[in-house]
């Protein structure tokens, strides 16, 4: 009978180990889904920038690119990471470092208050994607954590 007690004690320990392993599998699946969605958003931003800028990339010089229509495109407060521009005023991109949650919502509100129509808009507290147009420009706006990106193209 004493030989069976260690075996009986092993059963709950094994069950606990399997339960913890199951939690790890669920956590890994959830993290994989989040990572996949983040990769899709990153790719969408990269595609929008590349298309608008004719294949040019974004510099990390801390400056808004020359020719960016700052008077026509209201932007939220943040530290400029950098930007890029297409030849002959064909489009621009600017990335800002922002703090806190809700930056996308604040940026979208500024655009709409400035006369832009929201064509597509989807966001949560730390991320978002949307397109906005007025009579002159189309703006693709994204937030990825602490980075907000404006991709602006003339109509």
């Amino acid at each position: 009978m004493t030989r069976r007690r260690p075996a009986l004690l092993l059963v709950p320990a094994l069950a606990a180990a399997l339960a913890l392993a199951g939690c790890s599998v669920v956590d890994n699946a959830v993290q994989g889904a989040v990572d996949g969605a983040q990769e899709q958003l990153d790719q969408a931003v990269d595609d929008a920038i590349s298309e608008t800028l004719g294949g040019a990339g974004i510099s990390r010089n801390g400056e808004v690119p020359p020719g960016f229509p700052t008077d026509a495109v209201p932007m939220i407060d943040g530290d400029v990471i950098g930007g890029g521009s297409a030849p002959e005023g064909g489009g621009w991109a600017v990335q800002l470092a922002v703090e806190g949650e809700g930056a996308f919502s604040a940026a979208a509100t500024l655009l709409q208050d400035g006369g832009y129509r929201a064509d597509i808009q989807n966001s949560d507290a730390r991320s978002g994607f949307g397109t906005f147009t007025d009579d002159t420009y189309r703006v693709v706006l994204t937030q990825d954590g602490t980075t907000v990106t404006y991709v602006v193209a003339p109509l």
Side-chain angles (χ1 to χ4, degrees), residues 103-131:
F104 178 86
S105 179
T109 298
L110 274 177
L111 286 168
Q112 290 171 314
D113 289 350
Y116 284 83
R117 295 174 304 281
D119 302 315
I120 300 170
Q121 187 173 329
N122 191 8
S123 68
D124 60 28
R126 304 223 6 109
S127 65
F129 178 87
T131 61

Side-chain angles (χ1 to χ4, degrees), residues 11 23 26 30 52 82 99 109 111 135-137 144-146 154:
V11 171
C23 288
V26 170
V30 169
T52 300
E99 294 182 19
T109 298
L111 286 168
D135 294 335
T136 309
Y137 298 106
D144 177 10
T146 59

